[in-house]
Amino acid sequence: ARSTFMRRLVAKYSGNPVMSHGVSGKPDSVIVGYNTIWKVGSTYYVWYSCHDGTNYNICYATSNDGITWVKPSLGLVSYGGNTNNNIVISGAGAGAGAYAGGVWYDPNDADANKRYKMIFDLDAFTPKLATSADGINWTISGVSPWFTSATADPVSLLNVNNRWYVY
């Protein structure tokens, strides 16, 4: 019965895809995927893996309705000779990169600098953990304690009674 109820709530949007590829020369010109979406207040936030044919990065966008997305110029990461892009985490170089980020928003974390948490792959399948106060500026804190090898591809995080689950 529960799955029948859920099917009634979710309907395919006729204007798919809602998140389109960027134009040639943008970090998301080839692939847009592995996304995590959170609604905080009245704004939707998405972190997604992007690929330009050579490198993977983790990008960021916002929306007021969950359909029309804005990819802001964040000025954080140099790409194509400038920082006019929406990359929040970048990898080391050709053929490598940062991707498959699973983001968790935890407004109750006592440390305001860790309200957002991300597990992602960085360069050659190295699972990493990062935290952020705003979901834009991330601190990578080393190899994820939840993985010892392989990949974090894709990842979902769940917190139940202050215990973290990764799947």
Side-chain angles (χ1 to χ4, degrees):
R2 178 175 275 172
S3 63
T4 302
F5 174 73
M6 291 303 291
R7 278 184 259 157
R8 290 182 188 157
L9 290 178
V10 178
K12 183 177 180 179
Y13 176 65
S14 62
N16 280 340
V18 294
M19 177 69 75
S20 60
H21 293 110
V23 297
S24 180
K26 292 292 185 182
D28 58 0
S29 61
V30 175
I31 293 176
V32 171
Y34 295 115
N35 58 51
T36 301
I37 299 172
W38 281 95
K39 185 177 183 186
V40 179
S42 61
T43 304
Y44 293 89
Y45 301 89
V46 64
W47 297 264
Y48 63 96
S49 293
C50 59
H51 192 262
D52 62 2
T54 303
N55 297 303
Y56 284 96
N57 295 289
I58 297 176
C59 290
Y60 169 88
T62 63
S63 174
N64 291 324
D65 59 10
I67 296 171
T68 304
W69 292 91
V70 175
K71 300 174 185 178
S73 176
L74 300 173
L76 301 175
V77 175
S78 181
Y79 175 86
N82 65 68
T83 58
N84 184 19
N85 61 66
N86 62 327
I87 299 171
V88 292
I89 298 180
S90 181
Y99 61 97
V103 176
W104 177 263
Y105 173 62
D106 183 5
N108 299 316
D109 195 306
D111 185 342
N113 292 316
K114 296 182 177 180
R115 298 269 163 90
Y116 292 86
K117 298 152 181 61
M118 181 190 307
I119 296 178
F120 64 99
D121 278 337
L122 181 66
D123 303 328
F125 303 106
T126 305
K128 296 285 187 174
L129 174 66
T131 55
S132 173
D134 59 8
I136 297 172
N137 298 284
W138 292 89
T139 300
I140 300 171
S141 56
V143 175
S144 170
W146 294 303
F147 296 94
T148 56
S149 65
T151 179
D153 171 38
V155 160
S156 293
L157 304 170
L158 177 64
N159 185 310
V160 177
N161 298 323
N162 292 318
R163 183 173 176 146
W164 286 96
Y165 297 88
V166 178
Y167 58 95

